[in-house]
Amino acid sequence: MDASFANTLGPQDQQFLDLGIDKSEPVSTTISNDFSQKDEFLLPSLPCTPYEEGETTMIALSARAVPHQATSNSYIEQNLRPQGLSLESDRDFLTNRVNTSSLAPVDGGFGAWSFLFSAFFVELIVWGFPCAFGTFLDAYLRDPTYASQKNAQLLLPMIGTMTSGIIYCSGPVTYPLIYRYPMYTRISMWIGAAICFASLFGASYTTSVVNLVLCQGVLYAIGGTMLYNPCINYMNEWFIARRGLANGVISAGAAAGGLILPLVLPGIIDRYGTAKTLRIIAVVFAVCLLPMLPFLKGRLPLARVVGPAVRSGGEDRKWMKSPGFRFVMIVNTIQGFGYFVPLVWLPTFASELHLNATNSSLALSLLNGASLIGTLGFGALTDHMDTWLLAFSTLLGTCLATFVGWGVISYSLAGLIAFGMAYGVLAGGWSSFWPGFIKTVVSQEDPRLATTLMGYLMFSRGLGNILSTPITAAMAHPKGLSAVQGRLGFGVGNGKFENVIVYTGTCFAGASLIAGVGWVVEKSYQRSSTRR
């Protein structure tokens, strides 16, 4: 087999061919003897999965097992064409059942890099806006039109976390739909883009806090889900060996959006108000996004799956038996309960330092900018280093940064910026660890299962994202402090954020402790599995 062609292959997108092969005859012999040297059959050295049904053996052949040149009519007549189809139907049959052209290479090439570049911009738009919502929150809380409404202090902070939380929690629902109806995936992405535009445009015409939550929070999240989640599925098709790096690049889009928007939005809001700013953002997002959508497509061809499902031999359930992955889910959830708190409250915290709107947003912008470094750096490291070691180190470092950086030195703009940058680098790259955790229990070349587990991780983190805001909103209230406490970050706003800071640091302390235990348990499990 051509080695260069073999490098483009992966055992994804299996199509089912009913081959009337005598069970006493080896499969490889049957295939090789039915082709002349001219019509070489390029079959990757991947296991075929047979199972019994009636008098024939059903073979699950990879979609990449394709004739290099046109197949002979004799082979089609004898082996590929099912009963009832005429020879004239062969071409349509093969088009639907087998991918008859070589696939684009994985981990490189124009298709992979153009997809990655476009997915980066999708991440920037879909996730950058909720990451920068703290800027809008500060503007809403300073505007009596919104702040004076009933329950505004509780509902307004939930808009940003509602958006990202719904997108996070949507994975277990949307990914099975993507697999079940792949022919509608790209159409749904266009619809999702339209919904995102309509949600921001609609939010600009309401002054009701409840309607803001529905439009800017819930509706935007629905559109973002339809636009973003297919990108994760396609990423797992385009990248295998460099999957950690690819995930880091895509995740860096959120950090880039969170870096740019807090610097740009305060000036626009001060000049035009929140309503016109939402309309401007809606138009800019649409103009930037539309050129990218044509490049957001999968590597594998669409083909109709027929016949009963192939027996997996339990491989797709292996992850359920991994104690390490159970610890990953716990740590991931606790990290989500802590991570999003500074993203929501930092601009408001800065306002209590009597900083102007631009400086209030600067700390959040630099936090997200530092996250860009963290996602790219840790995404690349997960392809080469122990993911548990990286996770434990960053969680412990984030805990120290929260208590010392936010709780002690953030009584000035310089201290707040220092905390934001340290927090962004250490905590902002967490989602880049997911491919590293997943590859310990799932084959790198199984994109469907890898995407499914990514959905579970997104869901568990989304729970913390949604629930952490009302929890911290209930904690954020002033208290009497001593003169010494008043000169610390704990004392800003007359101690309003002390409990919020302690809560956030405790979440990371607990997550780091559980991660350390999970690391030991996972290594022990791997050693025992190797001995068996």
Side-chain angles (χ1 to χ4, degrees):
M1 182 176 68
D2 186 350
S4 63
F5 181 82
N7 289 334
T8 71
L9 306 178
Q12 307 113 301
D13 192 40
Q14 291 192 332
Q15 312 303 314
F16 301 98
L17 302 179
D18 297 353
L19 302 183
I21 301 174
D22 186 346
K23 289 176 288 187
S24 64
E25 186 175 8
V27 173
S28 58
T29 304
T30 303
I31 292 176
S32 61
N33 289 343
D34 278 309
F35 283 87
S36 64
Q37 185 175 2
K38 178 181 179 181
D39 294 328
E40 179 184 3
F41 196 82
L42 299 181
L43 180 64
S45 55
L46 302 170
C48 295
T49 307
Y51 57 91
E52 304 292 334
E53 181 169 289
E55 297 300 320
T56 61
T57 300
M58 311 289 287
I59 304 295
L61 283 181
S62 168
R64 282 154 307 286
V66 298
H68 189 256
Q69 300 183 21
T71 59
S72 63
N73 286 342
S74 61
Y75 179 82
I76 294 173
E77 185 71 32
Q78 295 173 17
N79 291 303
L80 285 181
R81 179 162 48 85
Q83 286 186 335
L85 285 184
S86 63
L87 190 60
E88 289 74 12
S89 302
D90 288 332
R91 189 176 302 277
D92 291 337
F93 166 73
L94 288 175
T95 299
N96 290 330
R97 305 285 286 276
V98 185
N99 174 25
T100 56
S101 61
S102 61
L103 297 175
V106 295
D107 294 313
F110 176 78
W113 297 124
S114 62
F115 162 78
L116 192 61
F117 179 79
S118 301
F120 170 87
F121 271 91
V122 169
E123 176 96 9
L124 187 153
I125 291 171
V126 172
W127 287 99
F129 188 67
C131 284
F133 177 74
T135 303
F136 268 98
L137 175 61
D138 186 48
Y140 286 142
L141 293 176
R142 288 188 286 107
D143 188 343
T145 304
Y146 302 102
S148 61
Q149 295 182 36
K150 184 179 180 180
N151 297 323
Q153 300 297 319
L154 176 63
L155 293 176
L156 286 172
M158 290 190 65
I159 294 176
T161 52
M162 183 75 71
T163 302
S164 52
I166 291 175
I167 299 175
Y168 270 126
C169 294
S170 65
V173 176
T174 57
Y175 289 131
L177 292 176
I178 290 172
Y179 299 137
R180 181 66 180 85
Y181 305 103
M183 68 290 296
Y184 302 122
T185 300
R186 297 191 69 194
I187 297 175
S188 73
M189 297 180 75
W190 287 87
I191 296 174
I195 293 176
C196 287
F197 173 84
S199 66
L200 296 181
F201 215 77
S204 70
Y205 286 98
T206 183
T207 56
S208 167
V209 172
V210 174
N211 290 337
L212 275 178
V213 173
L214 294 176
C215 291
Q216 196 173 346
V218 177
L219 191 60
Y220 185 87
I222 294 173
T225 296
M226 299 173 67
L227 182 59
Y228 169 76
N229 283 4
C231 293
I232 300 301
N233 181 50
Y234 290 153
M235 179 199 72
N236 288 323
E237 292 184 10
W238 283 108
F239 293 91
I240 297 178
R242 294 178 175 176
R243 189 170 291 167
L245 173 63
N247 188 70
V249 171
I250 294 176
S251 299
L259 169 65
I260 297 170
L261 291 177
L263 296 177
V264 174
L265 289 178
I268 302 176
I269 292 175
D270 288 343
R271 182 172 181 179
Y272 297 106
T274 54
K276 287 186 178 179
T277 301
L278 285 171
R279 293 169 210 157
I280 293 172
I281 291 175
V283 173
V284 171
F285 280 4
V287 171
C288 294
L289 187 59
L290 289 177
M292 304 297 167
L293 287 175
F295 298 100
L296 297 171
K297 54 187 178 180
R299 170 178 169 264
L300 304 176
L302 288 178
R304 192 171 301 167
V305 178
V306 297
V310 180
R311 293 176 184 171
S312 63
E315 288 299 317
D316 59 343
R317 302 295 179 184
K318 177 183 175 183
W319 63 273
M320 291 185 176
K321 301 177 182 179
S322 170
F325 194 78
R326 297 171 191 167
F327 276 95
V328 169
M329 293 291 289
I330 297 172
V331 172
N332 190 66
T333 304
I334 297 175
Q335 200 270 356
F337 270 89
Y339 171 70
F340 299 95
V341 175
L343 299 182
V344 174
W345 291 108
L346 223 54
T348 307
F349 182 91
S351 295
E352 294 290 345
L353 295 174
H354 307 293
L355 303 175
N356 58 37
T358 301
N359 287 335
S360 296
S361 299
L362 181 61
L364 179 60
S365 175
L366 292 178
L367 186 156
N368 287 311
S371 298
L372 181 67
I373 300 173
T375 52
L376 290 173
F378 290 126
L381 288 175
T382 55
D383 291 329
H384 307 286
M385 293 182 62
D386 190 315
T387 308
W388 279 105
L389 172 62
L390 295 172
F392 173 77
S393 302
T394 56
L395 289 170
L396 184 60
T398 306
C399 172
L400 296 175
T402 301
F403 281 119
V404 177
W406 196 6
V408 177
I409 68 174
S410 291
Y411 58 87
S412 65
L413 177 61
L416 191 60
I417 289 175
F419 161 69
M421 296 184 68
Y423 187 89
V425 171
L426 293 170
W430 176 259
S431 59
S432 298
F433 297 145
W434 291 350
F437 286 128
I438 290 173
K439 72 181 180 182
T440 62
V441 293
V442 175
S443 169
Q444 277 279 75
E445 299 179 338
D446 188 347
R448 178 168 179 168
L449 187 52
T451 304
T452 299
L453 296 188
M454 192 86 78
Y456 292 146
L457 290 170
M458 290 177 63
F459 177 82
S460 71
R461 199 183 195 205
L463 291 177
N465 184 13
I466 294 174
L467 297 177
S468 62
T469 298
I471 291 173
T472 53
M475 294 179 176
H477 52 81
K479 58 177 67 175
L481 298 173
S482 66
V484 175
Q485 289 174 313
R487 300 189 62 180
L488 302 176
F490 289 117
V492 171
N494 199 25
K496 179 180 180 180
F497 300 97
E498 180 182 10
N499 291 337
V500 174
I501 296 171
V502 172
Y503 163 84
T504 305
T506 302
C507 285
F508 284 103
S512 63
L513 176 62
I514 298 174
V517 175
W519 186 13
V520 174
V521 171
E522 174 65 16
K523 293 301 179 184
S524 176
Y525 175 76
Q526 290 179 354
R527 286 194 295 268
S528 63
S529 298
T530 302
R531 286 195 295 268
R532 289 197 299 266

